[in-house]
Amino acid sequence: IAVGSAILWPLGSLVLFAALLVPVRRPLLQQRPNSLSRATSFLHREYKLQWYWWEEVELARKIMLTGFFALIGPRDEASSFVRLIFATVLSMVYAVLVALVQPFKRFEDAMLASAAAMVVALVFAGSQLSTVWMAIDERSGGGEEGQSDAEA
């Protein structure tokens, strides 16, 4: 049951968002809201009309960062590093995409989303550096020299 739920939630939520957003396309673009477009406004009200589906992109990004990338490779250091690289690249691409496309109605929201994505990318990049540093430290003798220097 747990595995089924872990698979169903991410895919199901993407399908559900799409199933709700596809029927409201015409009423939104024609600026003639109907009951469904008003009921689903929480999915599209922050975005410009032509980007009404952007919440789907945002949800896909979140699912990839929190779930999909965890499935890459075995639970070892090399696979962990690869996951960090994928997460960093996705966050940077998203930050640039938000800055270029500006899907939000408010400029401030677009800049905040882009800045937040860059901060996430920087955290992942810092994690990569930390992983590399720890691997170098382990291969060079576990930092024994650094400990004796600190004690002196």
Side-chain angles (χ1 to χ4, degrees):
I1 293 176
V3 173
S5 296
I7 293 170
L8 180 64
W9 182 86
L11 297 178
S13 57
L14 284 171
V15 169
L16 178 63
F17 277 26
L20 289 171
L21 289 171
V22 167
V24 300
R25 179 182 186 275
R26 184 169 290 138
L28 286 175
L29 295 178
Q30 292 177 350
Q31 296 184 352
R32 294 182 180 165
N34 60 17
S35 59
L36 183 59
S37 67
R38 284 189 292 275
T40 60
S41 67
F42 68 96
L43 291 174
H44 54 77
R45 74 173 149 239
E46 300 298 322
Y47 307 108
K48 295 175 184 173
L49 284 177
Q50 66 269 30
W51 300 105
Y52 74 96
W53 48 268
W54 192 260
E55 191 65 30
E56 185 89 8
V57 173
E58 177 65 19
L59 180 62
R61 179 187 72 90
K62 290 175 184 177
I63 289 171
M64 290 183 75
L65 286 177
T66 60
F68 179 72
F69 289 154
L71 302 175
I72 297 174
R75 300 283 179 236
D76 63 358
E77 219 173 286
S79 295
S80 175
F81 192 73
V82 170
R83 286 190 290 271
L84 284 171
I85 290 171
F86 278 118
T88 304
V89 169
L90 176 66
S91 297
M92 290 176 144
V93 166
Y94 180 77
V96 170
L97 195 60
V98 168
L100 290 176
V101 171
Q102 294 187 2
F104 295 90
K105 288 179 180 175
R106 295 180 32 191
F107 176 77
E108 299 85 11
D109 290 341
M111 290 301 101
L112 184 60
S114 186
M118 281 308 287
V119 168
V120 169
L122 290 172
V123 168
F124 287 135
S127 298
Q128 289 174 21
L129 290 173
S130 174
T131 302
V132 169
W133 181 262
M134 289 188 324
I136 291 170
D137 191 44
E138 286 176 8
R139 289 187 181 137
S140 68
E144 294 171 10
E145 295 173 16
Q147 290 176 352
S148 60
D149 289 345
E151 293 173 0

